Amino acid sequence: MRDMKKIINNILHRFKEDSLSKRNEAVERIVEYQSLKDIKTCLIFWVADANQNEWLRQFIQHFPNVKINKLCFISSGVEMLVTDDIVVMHNEDLGFGGKIQNDSLLAMLKERYDLFVDLTTVSNAMIDYVLLNSQAKCIVGMKKEGARADITIDSVSGQLEFIDKLAEILVKVNKY
């Protein structure tokens, strides 16, 4: 009985994801590249993992003068200690017809951050929704299938190396 309920929930979630994917259209935004010294606000987005505290500390060290907002996608069955400074999204935030039922997430996506850092390594309908609906001036991410970043950094083996490379690149960028 328990397995049947899980199967039904998975099928229903796939229907919701299909509905969301059909509704997904990138918002109109003006892409703007800024040097590290000009970046004042940043949204960092990741899928919950065991190493997140380590690379979050490293990110804060590289971006000490930047106001950082945090958005974390927590997959079904994954547990994570949630703090007040993180907006969390779950598969359960997706309603029928592809409607997002997380007001904190929707408000966050309306902000026009100077930089959006995508640390996700996978794609799914929820992650794609966030990337397509962000109003950020510049989206940076790691190379992955279905990447939707303005700047893609490849040849990195994980978040720690990505953060180092990103800081190095942003120091060299001239605003345009």
Side-chain angles (χ1 to χ4, degrees), residues 4 6 9 19 122 128 130:
M4 183 59 84
K6 188 174 183 177
N9 283 338
S19 295
V122 295
D128 290 345
V130 169

Side-chain angles (χ1 to χ4, degrees), residues 98-113:
K99 182 170 174 35
I100 299 296
Q101 300 172 332
N102 182 329
D103 292 336
S104 298
L105 169 62
L106 295 173
M108 187 172 264
L109 292 177
K110 289 180 183 176
E111 293 288 324
R112 188 149 158 76
Y113 298 97

Side-chain angles (χ1 to χ4, degrees), residues 29-43 63 65-67 112-117 135-140 150-151 153 165-176:
R29 64 184 185 83
I30 298 169
V31 177
E32 186 178 311
Y33 303 98
Q34 296 179 327
S35 174
L36 181 59
K37 67 181 178 9
D38 296 320
I39 296 172
K40 303 293 181 232
T41 59
C42 175
L43 175 60
F63 298 85
N65 299 319
V66 176
K67 180 182 182 273
R112 188 149 158 76
Y113 298 97
D114 293 327
L115 183 67
F116 180 115
V117 179
Q135 297 290 324
K137 295 176 186 176
C138 182
I139 299 174
V140 261
D150 302 314
I151 299 173
I153 300 174
K165 188 79 164 174
L166 174 61
E168 182 182 310
I169 289 169
L170 291 177
V171 166
K172 298 176 185 176
V173 170
N174 290 321
K175 183 178 178 179
Y176 80 93

Side-chain angles (χ1 to χ4, degrees), residues 149-168:
D150 302 314
I151 299 173
T152 302
I153 300 174
D154 59 359
S155 303
V156 291
S157 60
Q159 286 93 348
L160 289 169
E161 190 177 349
F162 172 83
I163 292 166
D164 288 339
K165 188 79 164 174
L166 174 61
E168 182 182 310

Side-chain angles (χ1 to χ4, degrees), residues 18-83:
D18 287 344
S19 295
L20 180 64
S21 294
K22 290 175 186 169
R23 292 179 57 191
N24 265 350
E25 290 185 28
V27 296
E28 289 289 324
R29 64 184 185 83
I30 298 169
V31 177
E32 186 178 311
Y33 303 98
Q34 296 179 327
S35 174
L36 181 59
K37 67 181 178 9
D38 296 320
I39 296 172
K40 303 293 181 232
T41 59
C42 175
L43 175 60
I44 185 168
F45 178 44
W46 75 95
V47 175
D49 69 46
N51 299 324
Q52 67 192 35
N53 290 334
E54 183 180 354
W55 56 254
L56 275 169
R57 273 193 302 278
Q58 181 178 346
F59 191 87
I60 291 167
Q61 286 175 348
H62 279 299
F63 298 85
N65 299 319
V66 176
K67 180 182 182 273
I68 300 169
N69 286 345
K70 303 169 192 161
L71 175 61
C72 181
F73 177 75
I74 302 177
S75 302
S76 297
V78 174
E79 291 189 27
M80 177 184 127
L81 177 63
V82 178
T83 58

Side-chain angles (χ1 to χ4, degrees), residues 9-10 12-14 16-17 20 72-78 88-96 99-102 124-127:
N9 283 338
N10 284 338
L12 289 175
H13 185 71
R14 277 191 246 135
K16 292 176 186 179
E17 284 185 329
L20 180 64
C72 181
F73 177 75
I74 302 177
S75 302
S76 297
V78 174
V88 174
M89 58 185 282
H90 301 90
N91 284 327
E92 294 76 24
D93 293 335
L94 181 58
F96 284 101
K99 182 170 174 35
I100 299 296
Q101 300 172 332
N102 182 329
N124 67 30
M126 295 288 285
I127 290 170

